[in-house]
Amino acid sequence: MKNIKLISLTSLLTTLVIVTIYTILNSPLFFDPPDSYREHGTSATGNFIRIDEEYTINTTSAITSSLYYKTGTASSIPNIVEQVNQMNSDKTYIIIRSVSDNFYSFFNKKYRYYIVKKTNQQVVSFETEKEFVAECQKLNIYPKLKSLDKFDWYNSEEAY
């Protein structure tokens, strides 16, 4: 009986060590993904992602990434969507998953989903992923949500 408990405990600890090492090696905080461009001077806490000529995702800290719209002047409409966690876009729409609650939790985060129409900055939000996916299908939006570390990063000073 003691041998079974020892084997179970050893297996559990081995699994935890392997999962921890895998997580660290695949974390964008430690290593850049191999297929991404990182402009010199960018980091996970200071970068922006160019969606197109008018929209960017600005990351200003380890926990704050927001969707911005650049107007014809030097100003912008800040925070169309805050706490952006994942995104993607096509010619007409930007799709976003943001953290709506329990931001610091690894397991209990709550998400909200958004579809932003590029032509008029119209934002529609969804409480559940199921509602979001149904609306994406209805609007023929096919890009899948991707983590922000999968996109090219540029220096924040050049955002506007």
Side-chain angles (χ1 to χ4, degrees):
M1 188 69 170
K2 287 185 179 185
N3 286 340
I4 292 175
K5 287 182 181 180
L6 182 62
I7 290 172
S8 297
L9 183 60
T10 304
S11 298
L12 177 64
L13 289 174
T14 303
T15 302
L16 286 174
V17 168
I18 290 170
V19 167
T20 302
I21 291 170
Y22 177 81
T23 302
I24 289 172
L25 291 176
N26 288 303
S27 170
L29 297 176
F30 295 101
F31 301 102
D32 288 338
D35 60 344
S36 295
Y37 169 76
R38 301 289 187 261
E39 187 171 50
H40 181 71
T42 61
S43 69
T45 59
N47 67 74
F48 80 96
I49 298 166
R50 291 181 184 135
I51 297 172
D52 61 20
E53 294 297 318
E54 297 173 323
Y55 290 94
T56 60
I57 300 285
N58 289 28
T59 300
T60 55
S61 73
I63 61 168
T64 305
S65 294
S66 301
L67 175 66
Y68 284 80
Y69 173 74
K70 181 179 173 182
T71 63
T73 64
S75 65
S76 65
I77 302 170
N79 302 333
I80 293 174
V81 177
E82 295 181 322
Q83 308 300 355
V84 175
N85 175 268
Q86 293 184 341
M87 59 87 54
N88 212 334
S89 67
D90 62 16
K91 289 183 177 186
T92 309
Y93 298 100
I94 301 168
I95 56 174
I96 292 175
R97 181 179 84 172
S98 72
V99 179
S100 63
D101 197 16
N102 296 331
F103 190 88
Y104 296 101
S105 173
F106 284 110
F107 305 108
N108 296 321
K109 287 184 182 171
K110 294 191 176 145
Y111 298 103
R112 190 162 189 87
Y113 299 85
Y114 298 87
I115 298 175
V116 180
K117 190 169 185 178
K118 290 181 179 182
T119 55
N120 60 9
Q121 300 83 49
Q122 178 186 7
V123 179
V124 180
S125 67
F126 303 91
E127 291 285 331
T128 68
E129 185 176 12
K130 185 178 179 178
E131 294 171 327
F132 169 73
V133 169
E135 187 67 16
C136 284
Q137 291 173 344
K138 180 178 157 187
L139 296 172
N140 295 319
I141 302 172
Y142 295 108
K144 299 292 181 201
L145 290 167
K146 291 193 233 178
S147 177
L148 298 181
D149 65 304
K150 303 296 183 206
F151 295 90
D152 294 341
W153 292 354
Y154 296 90
N155 285 319
S156 294
E157 296 107 33
E158 299 173 14
Y160 300 105

